[in-house]
mmCIF file of all heavy atoms in Angstrom:
data_model
loop_
_atom_site.group_PDB
_atom_site.id
_atom_site.type_symbol
_atom_site.label_atom_id
_atom_site.label_comp_id
_atom_site.label_asym_id
_atom_site.label_seq_id
_atom_site.Cartn_x
_atom_site.Cartn_y
_atom_site.Cartn_z
ATOM 1 N N ARG A 527 -4.921 38.131 -31.687
ATOM 2 C CA ARG A 527 -3.515 38.520 -31.545
ATOM 3 C C ARG A 527 -3.375 40.035 -31.404
ATOM 4 O O ARG A 527 -2.576 40.520 -30.602
ATOM 5 C CB ARG A 527 -2.714 38.035 -32.757
ATOM 6 C CG ARG A 527 -2.455 36.534 -32.772
ATOM 7 C CD ARG A 527 -1.728 36.128 -34.022
ATOM 8 N NE ARG A 527 -1.503 34.688 -34.059
ATOM 9 C CZ ARG A 527 -1.211 34.014 -35.160
ATOM 10 N NH1 ARG A 527 -1.112 34.651 -36.312
ATOM 11 N NH2 ARG A 527 -1.019 32.713 -35.112
ATOM 12 N N LYS A 528 -4.162 40.751 -32.192
ATOM 13 C CA LYS A 528 -4.096 42.215 -32.114
ATOM 14 C C LYS A 528 -4.577 42.705 -30.756
ATOM 15 O O LYS A 528 -3.996 43.619 -30.165
ATOM 16 C CB LYS A 528 -4.942 42.818 -33.238
ATOM 17 C CG LYS A 528 -4.889 44.334 -33.304
ATOM 18 C CD LYS A 528 -5.727 44.843 -34.469
ATOM 19 C CE LYS A 528 -5.701 46.368 -34.515
ATOM 20 N NZ LYS A 528 -6.532 46.891 -35.635
ATOM 21 N N MET A 529 -5.653 42.060 -30.244
ATOM 22 C CA MET A 529 -6.176 42.472 -28.945
ATOM 23 C C MET A 529 -5.174 42.197 -27.832
ATOM 24 O O MET A 529 -4.954 43.036 -26.949
ATOM 25 C CB MET A 529 -7.491 41.757 -28.646
ATOM 26 C CG MET A 529 -8.026 42.051 -27.245
ATOM 27 S SD MET A 529 -9.659 41.376 -26.954
ATOM 28 C CE MET A 529 -10.663 42.624 -27.725
ATOM 29 N N ILE A 530 -4.548 41.007 -27.868
ATOM 30 C CA ILE A 530 -3.564 40.677 -26.837
ATOM 31 C C ILE A 530 -2.428 41.691 -26.851
ATOM 32 O O ILE A 530 -1.968 42.157 -25.800
ATOM 33 C CB ILE A 530 -3.017 39.251 -27.042
ATOM 34 C CG1 ILE A 530 -4.121 38.214 -26.828
ATOM 35 C CG2 ILE A 530 -1.855 38.974 -26.086
ATOM 36 C CD1 ILE A 530 -3.709 36.793 -27.149
ATOM 37 N N GLY A 531 -1.977 42.050 -28.038
ATOM 38 C CA GLY A 531 -0.829 42.944 -28.138
ATOM 39 C C GLY A 531 -1.152 44.407 -28.060
ATOM 40 O O GLY A 531 -0.247 45.243 -28.015
ATOM 41 N N GLU A 532 -2.448 44.742 -28.014
ATOM 42 C CA GLU A 532 -2.858 46.146 -28.052
ATOM 43 C C GLU A 532 -2.295 46.938 -26.876
ATOM 44 O O GLU A 532 -1.855 48.081 -27.028
ATOM 45 C CB GLU A 532 -4.393 46.215 -28.056
ATOM 46 C CG GLU A 532 -4.940 47.614 -28.115
ATOM 47 C CD GLU A 532 -6.454 47.620 -28.028
ATOM 48 O OE1 GLU A 532 -7.011 46.876 -27.187
ATOM 49 O OE2 GLU A 532 -7.075 48.360 -28.797
ATOM 50 N N SER A 533 -2.315 46.346 -25.696
ATOM 51 C CA SER A 533 -1.816 47.037 -24.504
ATOM 52 C C SER A 533 -0.418 46.548 -24.165
ATOM 53 O O SER A 533 -0.134 45.353 -24.237
ATOM 54 C CB SER A 533 -2.757 46.780 -23.322
ATOM 55 O OG SER A 533 -2.188 47.262 -22.128
ATOM 56 N N HIS A 534 0.441 47.466 -23.772
ATOM 57 C CA HIS A 534 1.811 47.094 -23.385
ATOM 58 C C HIS A 534 1.830 46.247 -22.118
ATOM 59 O O HIS A 534 2.850 45.634 -21.804
ATOM 60 C CB HIS A 534 2.656 48.356 -23.177
ATOM 61 C CG HIS A 534 2.940 49.096 -24.438
ATOM 62 N ND1 HIS A 534 3.981 48.778 -25.266
ATOM 63 C CD2 HIS A 534 2.303 50.151 -25.018
ATOM 64 C CE1 HIS A 534 3.994 49.596 -26.296
ATOM 65 N NE2 HIS A 534 2.984 50.439 -26.169
ATOM 66 N N SER A 535 0.723 46.210 -21.391
ATOM 67 C CA SER A 535 0.698 45.414 -20.165
ATOM 68 C C SER A 535 0.538 43.921 -20.431
ATOM 69 O O SER A 535 0.766 43.097 -19.552
ATOM 70 C CB SER A 535 -0.437 45.890 -19.253
ATOM 71 O OG SER A 535 -1.681 45.836 -19.921
ATOM 72 N N SER A 536 0.145 43.540 -21.669
ATOM 73 C CA SER A 536 0.045 42.117 -22.022
ATOM 74 C C SER A 536 1.446 41.557 -22.236
ATOM 75 O O SER A 536 2.202 42.062 -23.073
ATOM 76 C CB SER A 536 -0.785 41.932 -23.291
ATOM 77 O OG SER A 536 -2.128 42.306 -23.083
ATOM 78 N N GLN A 537 1.779 40.526 -21.487
ATOM 79 C CA GLN A 537 3.142 39.999 -21.563
ATOM 80 C C GLN A 537 3.255 38.648 -22.246
ATOM 81 O O GLN A 537 4.256 38.368 -22.891
ATOM 82 C CB GLN A 537 3.740 39.907 -20.156
ATOM 83 C CG GLN A 537 3.986 41.267 -19.522
ATOM 84 C CD GLN A 537 4.809 41.156 -18.257
ATOM 85 O OE1 GLN A 537 4.486 40.399 -17.354
ATOM 86 N NE2 GLN A 537 5.871 41.919 -18.184
ATOM 87 N N ALA A 538 2.233 37.788 -22.090
ATOM 88 C CA ALA A 538 2.363 36.445 -22.660
ATOM 89 C C ALA A 538 0.999 35.818 -22.850
ATOM 90 O O ALA A 538 0.030 36.152 -22.161
ATOM 91 C CB ALA A 538 3.221 35.562 -21.749
ATOM 92 N N TYR A 539 0.944 34.899 -23.813
ATOM 93 C CA TYR A 539 -0.213 34.023 -23.988
ATOM 94 C C TYR A 539 0.283 32.598 -23.787
ATOM 95 O O TYR A 539 1.162 32.122 -24.516
ATOM 96 C CB TYR A 539 -0.821 34.194 -25.380
ATOM 97 C CG TYR A 539 -1.991 33.256 -25.636
ATOM 98 C CD1 TYR A 539 -3.224 33.475 -25.024
ATOM 99 C CD2 TYR A 539 -1.868 32.162 -26.482
ATOM 100 C CE1 TYR A 539 -4.296 32.623 -25.246
ATOM 101 C CE2 TYR A 539 -2.934 31.309 -26.706
ATOM 102 C CZ TYR A 539 -4.144 31.541 -26.089
ATOM 103 O OH TYR A 539 -5.208 30.692 -26.303
ATOM 104 N N LEU A 540 -0.266 31.906 -22.784
ATOM 105 C CA LEU A 540 0.158 30.554 -22.424
ATOM 106 C C LEU A 540 -0.902 29.565 -22.894
ATOM 107 O O LEU A 540 -2.098 29.750 -22.626
ATOM 108 C CB LEU A 540 0.341 30.436 -20.909
ATOM 109 C CG LEU A 540 1.176 31.537 -20.228
ATOM 110 C CD1 LEU A 540 1.259 31.289 -18.720
ATOM 111 C CD2 LEU A 540 2.573 31.597 -20.828
#
Side-chain angles (χ1 to χ4, degrees):
R527 286 177 181 162
K528 183 179 179 181
M529 175 173 279
I530 294 174
E532 181 184 44
S533 171
H534 291 275
S535 57
S536 294
Q537 292 191 307
Y539 177 73
L540 311 180

